[in-house]
Amino acid sequence: MTYAFPPAGLPDQSVNPEGTAIFTEAYAVLPACTMRDIVTSYLPGWSDTRVWIIARPLSGFAETFAQYAVEVAPGGGSDAPEPDTGAQAAILLADGTMTLTIDGTNHTLTSGGYAYIRPGAAWSVRNTGTTPLQFHWIRKRYEPVQGIDWPESFVTSDKETPVNWMPNTDKWGTTRFVDPSDLRHDMHANIVTFLPGGRIPFAETHVMEHGLYVLQGTARYLLNKDWVEVGPGDFMWLRAFCPQACIATGDEPFRYLLYKDVNRHPRLMI
């Protein structure tokens, strides 16, 4: 299993700048080739770290979450990574070695490691390896519900979590780090897998907002009325009710990190 990450660098001057990035009212596609050195940011409280902010709450774009690709040099990191005490986090490690401390407990994560960090937790990140640490970080403001306990932090890995195959197929499944029926959780950050030839056999149209970061493989993806070709490192944002479907292509699994908001009443706007 591989876990794609932004390619960084800068294309040669001979490269044609016309690309495949798409930004619409219903969806957006940020190809891996757009995630270069010149679009990184630096964050307060982090040392020797740069980030690609690939989704953020914005009118006409993501509404419920922010998503980063984070690169930390050896020895770098943060003792206070999250400025919002109401935010929860999901982390998937792409490469390197991370020492993640949550509420005083140390965890060592390597490629494929996954962590959920509860809102209000005291946590820190440090690159304790000799190579760059690269990880994906999803942030969402938690929505508490009276009578339901807040979720607890946990650490696991992609390798330790089984794929739940969809009914009547062994070509499309989801690695679920959280039980879908656990109402403490108001977001899921899963890994979706399609084996070669696998597909979503209908145009899903639903209330959940999505962020999809392609970790491995290639596919044709239906976004609203458009079929787009996607591959490792590409990111897709889908607003609520945007029709979507997928047909895996190539000879290796097509896998992506999927964000969705779940298990809460929609807020009624005035």
Side-chain angles (χ1 to χ4, degrees), residues 23 170 198 242:
F23 192 92
D170 60 358
C242 176

mmCIF file with all atom_site columns, all heavy atoms in Angstrom, residues 23 170 198 242:
data_model
loop_
_atom_site.group_PDB
_atom_site.id
_atom_site.type_symbol
_atom_site.label_atom_id
_atom_site.label_alt_id
_atom_site.label_comp_id
_atom_site.label_asym_id
_atom_site.label_entity_id
_atom_site.label_seq_id
_atom_site.pdbx_PDB_ins_code
_atom_site.Cartn_x
_atom_site.Cartn_y
_atom_site.Cartn_z
_atom_site.occupancy
_atom_site.B_iso_or_equiv
_atom_site.pdbx_formal_charge
_atom_site.auth_seq_id
_atom_site.auth_comp_id
_atom_site.auth_asym_id
_atom_site.auth_atom_id
_atom_site.pdbx_PDB_model_num
ATOM 1  N N   . PHE A 1 23  ? -12.740 24.194  -10.802 1.00 0.00 ? 23  PHE A N   1
ATOM 2  C CA  . PHE A 1 23  ? -13.407 24.787  -9.653  1.00 0.00 ? 23  PHE A CA  1
ATOM 3  C C   . PHE A 1 23  ? -14.809 25.186  -10.083 1.00 0.00 ? 23  PHE A C   1
ATOM 4  O O   . PHE A 1 23  ? -14.971 26.067  -10.930 1.00 0.00 ? 23  PHE A O   1
ATOM 5  C CB  . PHE A 1 23  ? -12.627 26.002  -9.138  1.00 0.00 ? 23  PHE A CB  1
ATOM 6  C CG  . PHE A 1 23  ? -13.094 26.494  -7.794  1.00 0.00 ? 23  PHE A CG  1
ATOM 7  C CD1 . PHE A 1 23  ? -12.498 26.035  -6.638  1.00 0.00 ? 23  PHE A CD1 1
ATOM 8  C CD2 . PHE A 1 23  ? -14.134 27.408  -7.691  1.00 0.00 ? 23  PHE A CD2 1
ATOM 9  C CE1 . PHE A 1 23  ? -12.920 26.484  -5.385  1.00 0.00 ? 23  PHE A CE1 1
ATOM 10 C CE2 . PHE A 1 23  ? -14.569 27.859  -6.455  1.00 0.00 ? 23  PHE A CE2 1
ATOM 11 C CZ  . PHE A 1 23  ? -13.958 27.388  -5.292  1.00 0.00 ? 23  PHE A CZ  1
ATOM 12 N N   . ASP A 1 170 ? -16.692 -7.841  -3.897  1.00 0.00 ? 170 ASP A N   1
ATOM 13 C CA  . ASP A 1 170 ? -15.411 -7.827  -3.208  1.00 0.00 ? 170 ASP A CA  1
ATOM 14 C C   . ASP A 1 170 ? -14.449 -6.881  -3.912  1.00 0.00 ? 170 ASP A C   1
ATOM 15 O O   . ASP A 1 170 ? -13.238 -6.975  -3.765  1.00 0.00 ? 170 ASP A O   1
ATOM 16 C CB  . ASP A 1 170 ? -14.811 -9.235  -3.134  1.00 0.00 ? 170 ASP A CB  1
ATOM 17 C CG  . ASP A 1 170 ? -14.573 -9.856  -4.501  1.00 0.00 ? 170 ASP A CG  1
ATOM 18 O OD1 . ASP A 1 170 ? -14.911 -9.214  -5.526  1.00 0.00 ? 170 ASP A OD1 1
ATOM 19 O OD2 . ASP A 1 170 ? -14.044 -10.986 -4.554  1.00 0.00 ? 170 ASP A OD2 1
ATOM 20 N N   . GLY A 1 198 ? -13.452 -2.249  -10.148 1.00 0.00 ? 198 GLY A N   1
ATOM 21 C CA  . GLY A 1 198 ? -14.496 -1.922  -9.189  1.00 0.00 ? 198 GLY A CA  1
ATOM 22 C C   . GLY A 1 198 ? -15.124 -0.569  -9.494  1.00 0.00 ? 198 GLY A C   1
ATOM 23 O O   . GLY A 1 198 ? -14.515 0.297   -10.117 1.00 0.00 ? 198 GLY A O   1
ATOM 24 N N   . CYS A 1 242 ? -23.922 16.767  -4.515  1.00 0.00 ? 242 CYS A N   1
ATOM 25 C CA  . CYS A 1 242 ? -23.265 16.656  -5.816  1.00 0.00 ? 242 CYS A CA  1
ATOM 26 C C   . CYS A 1 242 ? -23.246 15.188  -6.231  1.00 0.00 ? 242 CYS A C   1
ATOM 27 O O   . CYS A 1 242 ? -22.681 14.347  -5.522  1.00 0.00 ? 242 CYS A O   1
ATOM 28 C CB  . CYS A 1 242 ? -21.835 17.186  -5.742  1.00 0.00 ? 242 CYS A CB  1
ATOM 29 S SG  . CYS A 1 242 ? -20.901 16.987  -7.281  1.00 0.00 ? 242 CYS A SG  1
#
